[in-house]
Amino acid sequence: MAKTGKTPYLEPMTVLTVHLATPRGFCAGVDRAIQIVERALELYGAPVYVRHEIVHNKHVVDRLKAMGAVFVKELDQCPPDRPVVFSAHGVPKSVPAEAQSRQMFYLDATCPLVSKVHVEAERHFIEGSEILLIGHAGHPEVIGTMGQLPDGAVTLIETVADAQNYVARDPENVAFVTQTTLSVDDTADIVAALRARFPSIKLPHKEDICYATTNRQDAVKAVAADCGLMLIIGSAKSSNSQRLVEVALKAGTPAAYLVDDASHVDWTWFEGVTSVGVSAGASAPENLISDLIAAISARYETEVIESSGVRETVTFKLPRVLTDA
């Protein structure tokens, strides 16, 4: 097999099976957040300011920039007379408080399932419980959740070791919540460690890891063992996308990579591979998946098999100020 650069030239009869995981790509929370920015631009004109990336995907952010969205790190970079949107990951309470003090018009695009975690954490705080948050340090969702309560009210638990080493002031009055985009299996191990140490620990009324994260991980598990290679489309900043790579490897695929889009694929990964799995994180647009399939098909004779996973029908309403206008 001769090669030019990184693109392999294959024998005419070489067939590559592509297992397309279902569901994949956009979830309802991401779709809602993007629509909020689009609708704000339509109603109020450009520029509309967005605090942090609305979702963790460069292609989404660049498209919204082209429409007139301006992405900033903090509110002091926004003029007080233009709309500002808070990202889908959620924000500390100090952010809307600052916006109100400056009399800014703001739209909160926090995913409703993240808001549910915020409400749970506040309920535990009111009840006087010690609150543990299972999540990843520095992630915007974790910053937002911890920022719902006074400093020191929430302790971050990242690993099983953290759970085993945590010393409670009152072992009978501990509660936990979780980041919504974690590995289901890894989180189960941490929860098991916490329950072993604190049998009366208060659990979420309903699983905090969101339906979309769970469904996408299950879909990857369903195809990974049949694939010599797994490609996940998503940003390195995206927690749920990173977890899909980890899930694929644990489920038995020998190699798995996270790529922003088809242009980031190293075609040497395909050498000796007869089947490849494809999925995408919850903030990756469907067109990136189609482009990847097209790029594979341009180099291989392909058979695309779409898995029969969960068909998602969840939708979240836009803020009323946008729908009533």
Side-chain angles (χ1 to χ4, degrees), residues 19-23 185 214-227 230 244 247-253 277-279 305-310:
H19 293 277
L20 192 55
T22 300
D185 295 335
T214 301
N215 289 346
R216 279 150 190 72
Q217 290 180 18
D218 287 346
V220 166
K221 289 178 186 177
V223 303
D226 297 324
C227 299
M230 193 88 196
L244 291 180
V247 165
L249 292 169
K250 287 183 179 180
T253 193
V278 172
S279 188
I305 301 174
E306 183 165 5
S307 67
S308 56
V310 175

Side-chain angles (χ1 to χ4, degrees), residues 198-239:
F198 310 111
S200 60
I201 193 168
K202 298 175 185 176
L203 313 177
H205 286 312
K206 189 176 180 182
E207 178 67 63
D208 283 343
I209 296 176
C210 84
Y211 77 94
T213 296
T214 301
N215 289 346
R216 279 150 190 72
Q217 290 180 18
D218 287 346
V220 166
K221 289 178 186 177
V223 303
D226 297 324
C227 299
L229 169 68
M230 193 88 196
L231 297 178
I232 306 297
I233 297 177
S235 169
K237 297 180 182 179
S238 167
S239 174

Side-chain angles (χ1 to χ4, degrees), residues 69-273:
V70 178
F71 291 85
V72 298
K73 290 185 177 180
E74 298 299 342
L75 291 185
D76 59 13
Q77 297 172 267
C78 306
D81 60 343
R82 295 302 303 164
V84 60
V85 181
F86 303 152
S87 81
H89 310 103
V91 296
K93 275 191 173 179
S94 59
V95 174
E98 179 187 349
Q100 289 170 0
S101 72
R102 295 181 60 194
Q103 298 184 317
M104 302 176 77
F105 172 55
Y106 66 88
L107 297 159
D108 190 352
T110 300
C111 173
L113 298 180
V114 174
S115 296
K116 178 184 79 71
V117 177
H118 293 178
V119 171
E120 287 178 341
E122 287 192 276
R123 175 173 55 82
H124 291 313
F125 181 72
I126 291 169
E127 293 172 352
S129 300
E130 295 179 46
I131 305 166
L132 308 180
L133 169 59
I134 303 173
H136 297 298
H139 190 277
E141 183 183 331
V142 166
I143 294 170
T145 299
M146 296 185 77
Q148 300 304 303
L149 298 172
D151 288 348
V154 181
T155 299
L156 183 62
I157 302 292
E158 295 190 83
T159 64
V160 170
D162 288 345
Q164 293 170 336
N165 294 329
Y166 177 72
V167 178
R169 296 187 302 276
D170 180 359
E172 299 300 315
N173 193 21
V174 180
F176 79 86
V177 295
T178 82
Q179 186 179 333
T180 64
T181 55
L182 299 176
S183 162
V184 174
D185 295 335
D186 290 350
T187 303
D189 292 340
I190 296 173
V191 171
L194 288 173
R195 296 185 75 171
R197 295 201 58 221
F198 310 111
S200 60
I201 193 168
K202 298 175 185 176
L203 313 177
H205 286 312
K206 189 176 180 182
E207 178 67 63
D208 283 343
I209 296 176
C210 84
Y211 77 94
T213 296
T214 301
N215 289 346
R216 279 150 190 72
Q217 290 180 18
D218 287 346
V220 166
K221 289 178 186 177
V223 303
D226 297 324
C227 299
L229 169 68
M230 193 88 196
L231 297 178
I232 306 297
I233 297 177
S235 169
K237 297 180 182 179
S238 167
S239 174
N240 77 86
S241 299
Q242 291 178 346
R243 303 294 81 77
L244 291 180
V245 174
E246 296 168 359
V247 165
L249 292 169
K250 287 183 179 180
T253 193
Y257 300 96
L258 181 64
V259 294
D260 279 332
D261 54 46
S263 70
H264 288 77
V265 172
D266 182 339
W267 296 100
T268 62
W269 297 337
F270 283 67
E271 292 181 355
V273 171

